Amino acid sequence: MKKVKFTDLYELIHDKSAILKRVNYLIKKSQFIGGKEVLNFENNFSKYVNSKYCISVANGTDALEIAIASLNLKKGSEIILPVNTWISTAEAIVTNGCRIVFCDVNLDDYSICLKDLKKKLSNKTKAIMVVHLYGNPTNILQIKKIINKRNIKIIEDCAQAHGTRLLGKHVGTLGDVGTFSFFPGKNLGGFGDGGAIVTNSVKIYRYCLRARNHGALGKYDHIFSGRNSRLDTINAAVLNIKLKNYNKVVKRRNELANIYFKGLRKIKNIDLFNLSEKNTHSFHQFVIRTKKRDPLSSFLKKYKIQTMVHYPYMLNELKFFNGKEVKKAKDLGKKILSLPISEEHSDDQIKYVVQKINSYFKKNY
Ligand SMILES: Cc1ncc(COP(=O)(O)O)c(C=O)c1O
């Protein structure tokens, strides 16, 4: 077997000729900022997730920052956040002048731990930021039961969860506001940075529309101090084309995940995702957990199988966040390993990874 790359961005561009044709057209029209292409993408994406509104922005980090700002929370408000996420999620809380309250992780699917969440709620809690990490949905319906109609907002970081559904409802539409990233390595990735905010609230929508464009809707129509955070027109064109076939991507990733589940479930030394069949998972990552993480990844590397770690630290461990320790996610960054999974991997490649992991544990236990 040749190398099993973690991902191959070039291979993930399925519709190269359609994209080139469209980009060529936009170049001829010199349409680089805004325009129909961007509006079409916003409409197509809000149809895809079934939200009333979609506001495209320059990246997933901006989407988070603007989404939090749209809630108009007082400075110093507490926002509860799981410790296992990309740093952006936490940064967006800090840049909005709010306080992060770190929360433990549910080891079945790596969503926020609901037991710990109950403990972390206080009078100062003004929002909960959930992260649908790896493409696994967080159970927001249970979180709503826990907060029991208190005025606590729910922000959903769906950067890794295009196509992820909780009981049939697309993530991003279950809380107050949802954010997405279209970074090239994401399941729905563009040609460069990109992001979006989705919501059913007209108030949030109106704020975000202006916030991403210097506080203005039209030229010189500023009503507050915003920023420049626009999705490039060429990138919107790429995403429009990729979105058309995106359900096939989710289907294929599920097929490959099933090969992992079947082939790895008997190995005692590793923990797999434990997922509910009632939900749709988009398998942005397929993550296993084992105390033998480092020797296993070196072993796989010898067989030219690339793996990664998302993420090697928990955010409460980064000194500058000043976070308190949590129980279940302690040392999690030393045990998790992301295996190759993308719609461009073949069944044989994934079976080869399974075979090598099995042979490693036969020798090492
Ligand atoms: C969970 C999560 N949140 C936020 C982001 C930020 O998105 P972007 O890189 O587009 O700013 C990412 C991207 O890696 C992410 O994985």
Side-chain angles (χ1 to χ4, degrees):
M1 174 70 64
K2 275 201 304 192
K3 194 170 179 172
V4 184
K5 286 190 186 175
F6 191 73
T7 36
D8 184 331
L9 289 184
Y10 185 74
E11 293 297 332
L12 294 181
I13 310 161
H14 311 290
D15 316 285
K16 293 184 183 69
S17 65
I19 289 175
L20 286 174
K21 207 169 143 197
R22 196 71 196 153
V23 170
N24 209 8
Y25 168 84
L26 292 170
I27 292 172
K28 277 192 188 141
K29 289 253 169 199
S30 299
Q31 176 76 73
F32 302 121
I33 301 285
K36 252 196 195 156
E37 201 72 57
V38 176
L39 273 176
N40 283 347
F41 177 68
E42 290 174 337
N43 287 334
N44 293 338
F45 198 67
S46 68
K47 260 189 215 135
Y48 183 74
V49 303
N50 198 17
S51 68
K52 277 196 187 152
Y53 307 106
C54 169
I55 309 98
S56 61
V57 292
N59 54 66
T61 306
D62 282 3
L64 284 162
E65 281 184 22
I66 295 171
I68 296 174
S70 76
L71 300 175
N72 206 11
L73 306 177
K74 278 201 191 116
K75 296 280 171 242
S77 297
E78 288 184 357
I79 302 184
I80 300 178
L81 174 75
V83 292
N84 59 335
T85 176
W86 175 236
I87 191 166
S88 299
T89 333
E91 285 171 330
I93 296 175
V94 175
T95 47
N96 271 288
C98 295
R99 216 172 75 75
I100 303 170
V101 176
F102 283 115
C103 191
D104 210 348
V105 174
N106 162 10
L107 295 178
D108 281 337
D109 59 6
Y110 300 91
S111 62
I112 194 164
C113 168
L114 299 184
K115 209 169 151 195
D116 196 37
L117 174 69
K118 280 183 202 160
K119 288 188 200 152
K120 298 285 161 71
L121 283 169
S122 80
N123 290 338
K124 292 186 204 139
T125 309
K126 296 298 170 213
I128 297 166
M129 169 81 85
V130 303
V131 184
H132 304 292
L133 199 74
Y134 309 142
N136 297 340
T138 299
N139 197 333
I140 291 179
L141 303 177
Q142 281 184 8
I143 293 180
K144 283 187 175 167
K145 273 192 198 151
I146 291 170
I147 57 182
N148 191 20
K149 300 198 177 127
R150 280 169 63 188
N151 187 17
I152 295 175
K153 305 288 183 200
I154 299 175
I155 310 150
E156 299 178 65
D157 182 344
C158 316
Q160 303 190 5
H162 322 74
T164 297
R165 290 182 161 82
L166 182 81
L167 299 178
K169 267 196 120 185
H170 201 293
V171 294
T173 64
L174 294 131
D176 293 278
V177 58
T179 65
F180 289 83
S181 163
F182 305 116
F183 180 82
K186 296 289 189 257
N187 280 19
L188 181 64
F191 283 8
D193 280 310
I197 301 164
V198 299
T199 183
N200 289 326
S201 151
V202 67
K203 201 169 156 205
I204 291 176
Y205 167 68
R206 287 195 180 132
Y207 172 82
C208 296
L209 259 191
R210 284 186 181 270
R212 68 154 181 204
N213 186 40
H214 308 289
L217 292 180
K219 221 172 190 175
Y220 308 128
D221 154 45
H222 323 279
I223 60 169
F224 60 84
S225 165
R227 65 169 81 192
N228 172 357
S229 183
R230 296 181 292 241
L231 180 67
D232 292 337
T233 311
I234 286 179
N235 215 359
V238 172
L239 290 166
N240 263 327
I241 292 169
K242 282 185 134 191
L243 183 60
K244 277 188 200 149
N245 285 317
Y246 182 65
N247 279 337
K248 282 191 201 149
V249 171
V250 176
K251 188 166 168 269
R252 181 67 189 142
R253 283 176 177 261
N254 273 267
E255 285 166 4
L256 297 178
N258 283 335
I259 297 179
Y260 277 135
F261 281 124
K262 275 191 197 137
L264 300 177
R265 74 179 160 214
K266 289 205 179 114
I267 305 176
K268 281 195 190 115
N269 313 78
I270 60 177
D271 290 297
L272 302 177
F273 290 146
N274 185 12
L275 305 174
S276 162
E277 285 183 8
K278 292 180 186 156
N279 301 327
T280 311
H281 305 89
S282 55
F283 292 104
H284 178 54
Q285 307 295 354
F286 193 95
V287 176
I288 60 170
R289 195 167 66 245
T290 170
K291 284 185 186 144
K292 304 244 170 188
R293 196 273 306 280
D294 288 339
L296 173 64
S297 75
S298 310
F299 176 85
L300 294 175
K301 199 173 167 193
K302 269 202 281 184
Y303 290 94
K304 301 202 175 98
I305 297 168
Q306 289 181 340
T307 56
M308 288 182 80
V309 177
H310 302 92
Y311 299 96
Y313 47 79
M314 297 296 111
L315 292 182
N316 59 321
E317 293 162 11
L318 298 179
K319 281 204 181 110
F320 51 87
F321 280 134
N322 244 335
K324 292 208 179 91
E325 208 177 272
V326 293
K327 245 196 211 157
K328 287 190 264 178
K330 191 168 183 302
D331 293 332
L332 188 56
K334 295 188 184 119
K335 297 181 201 152
I336 45 178
L337 186 67
S338 306
L339 303 178
I341 188 163
S342 81
E343 62 276 20
E344 281 310 308
H345 284 102
S346 66
D347 286 15
D348 283 347
Q349 283 180 308
I350 302 303
K351 284 179 187 163
Y352 178 69
V353 181
V354 164
Q355 182 209 327
K356 289 298 168 210
I357 296 177
N358 272 289
S359 73
Y360 173 80
F361 282 108
K362 263 185 203 139
K363 282 188 214 133
N364 291 281
Y365 252 85

